[in-house]
Amino acid sequence: MSFRLSQRDKDIIGFINQFRAVDRDSLVELFFKQLKSPVNACNSVMVRLYRLGLIERTQQYSPMVYLPVDAKIKKNSQKILHFLSILEIYKQMCTYSTPKHVIVEDKPTGRKGGIEPDLFCIFKGSPFWIEIQRNQYSEQKMQAKINLYEEFFFSDEWQASHWQPEDRPALFPSIILITPVRYAVNSEHIRIIQVASIHKLMEKYKNSAKQERQVRPRLSSSNGIKINLT
């Protein structure tokens, strides 16, 4: 069946496998928006890929959501909403710059009980681990999460990550908490950014860049963490 697949078909299948759950409108936005009838084109392609047995789908959501063929989540699982929220953050990033080295549900320690950010990526030249808080948690639980990141920071294991630059010192990613609620969490060793969305993040750094441009360079660092969003 592979001979029937275009490069776009392969890219769509790979994208669904990567993000685990992808809604129809996101596929239209990411793969078909340049066409004259993007929704119809997307629907046609997705029906064909489904009939070929290359993707799964669930009609529990509107618009329809597509899943990998080997998806280990039920078609009515709340986990689907979790993956869609990760996809939404990725799409917000794409409006500014396409992220690189994207890892959904990253597990950098490789051990149970270690940090498990919802998303890792290199965005505008800087590495980030992103935690998406769809529910409100206690201050203690959020600080415990940050403490796990600090433990990983002191382990130095992160310096061997495959995405680390070869020609510069290793960088520990900043932590972005996507949350409508601001938590009283802190760390003396890692940078924590709390914002309601990536759009708010970009507004924040755009405004700060204007204020600092006359006295500071565009590239700043804190505790060895690179931040270059402007």
Side-chain angles (χ1 to χ4, degrees), residues 21-34:
V22 181
D23 63 283
R24 193 278 312 273
D25 286 356
S26 291
L27 291 171
V28 170
E29 180 180 345
L30 294 169
F31 295 97
F32 297 91
K33 65 180 180 181
Q34 77 281 4

Side-chain angles (χ1 to χ4, degrees), residues 42-60:
C42 180
N43 288 340
S44 177
V45 168
M46 300 315 292
V47 167
R48 176 169 55 82
L49 295 180
Y50 174 71
R51 290 175 177 172
L52 288 170
L54 298 174
I55 57 171
E56 268 295 344
R57 66 186 185 186
T58 173
Q59 296 177 316
Q60 297 287 330

Side-chain angles (χ1 to χ4, degrees):
M1 288 188 291
S2 61
F3 69 92
R4 302 177 59 180
L5 300 180
S6 67
Q7 185 58 51
R8 182 179 62 191
D9 293 337
K10 296 175 183 178
D11 291 343
I12 289 172
I13 294 168
F15 190 80
I16 293 172
N17 289 337
Q18 181 180 27
F19 281 86
R20 323 283 176 81
V22 181
D23 63 283
R24 193 278 312 273
D25 286 356
S26 291
L27 291 171
V28 170
E29 180 180 345
L30 294 169
F31 295 97
F32 297 91
K33 65 180 180 181
Q34 77 281 4
L35 301 181
K36 184 176 181 180
S37 300
V39 174
N40 290 338
C42 180
N43 288 340
S44 177
V45 168
M46 300 315 292
V47 167
R48 176 169 55 82
L49 295 180
Y50 174 71
R51 290 175 177 172
L52 288 170
L54 298 174
I55 57 171
E56 268 295 344
R57 66 186 185 186
T58 173
Q59 296 177 316
Q60 297 287 330
Y61 302 88
S62 181
M64 191 176 298
V65 171
Y66 297 92
L67 312 168
V69 290
D70 60 348
K72 297 180 181 179
I73 54 177
K74 296 181 180 180
K75 293 184 178 182
N76 61 352
S77 172
Q78 289 296 305
K79 188 75 170 174
I80 290 176
L81 294 176
H82 166 71
F83 288 124
L84 291 178
S85 66
I86 296 174
L87 175 60
E88 175 59 28
I89 293 303
Y90 172 82
K91 290 194 302 175
Q92 289 182 25
M93 288 182 167
C94 286
T95 63
Y96 302 98
S97 177
T98 302
K100 300 178 180 179
H101 298 287
V102 176
I103 304 174
V104 176
E105 289 197 330
D106 192 16
K107 295 178 175 59
T109 68
R111 299 186 298 272
K112 186 175 181 179
I115 62 173
E116 296 184 358
D118 296 314
L119 187 67
F120 168 82
C121 66
I122 305 291
F123 179 52
K124 282 187 164 290
S126 295
F128 294 98
W129 277 314
I130 302 175
E131 296 270 2
I132 304 171
Q133 304 302 318
R134 295 177 55 234
N135 301 309
Q136 186 171 346
Y137 297 99
S138 67
E139 303 280 357
Q140 293 80 6
K141 185 170 183 177
M142 292 303 298
Q143 186 61 54
K145 187 187 291 284
I146 298 302
N147 293 344
L148 286 177
Y149 279 98
E150 286 196 331
E151 289 179 12
F152 191 48
F153 175 82
F154 286 113
S155 75
D156 291 336
E157 295 175 22
W158 52 273
Q159 297 187 26
S161 300
H162 72 278
W163 47 263
Q164 290 287 0
E166 296 181 357
D167 56 343
R168 300 189 304 277
L171 301 169
F172 192 84
S174 299
I175 314 302
I176 299 179
L177 300 180
I178 303 291
T179 170
V181 179
R182 186 169 185 85
Y183 294 95
V185 295
N186 62 82
S187 170
E188 296 181 358
H189 308 286
I190 58 180
R191 174 167 287 184
I192 304 167
I193 305 168
Q194 299 190 58
V195 289
S197 67
I198 295 300
H199 298 313
K200 293 296 184 182
L201 173 71
M202 297 307 295
E203 288 177 11
K204 176 180 178 179
Y205 278 91
K206 182 178 180 180
N207 293 335
S208 64
K210 288 181 180 179
Q211 297 172 1
E212 298 175 4
R213 191 167 291 134
Q214 294 181 348
V215 294
R216 299 184 65 183
R218 289 168 63 88
L219 180 63
S220 62
S221 62
S222 174
N223 297 326
I225 303 168
K226 179 182 176 185
I227 298 290
N228 184 20
L229 296 178
T230 58

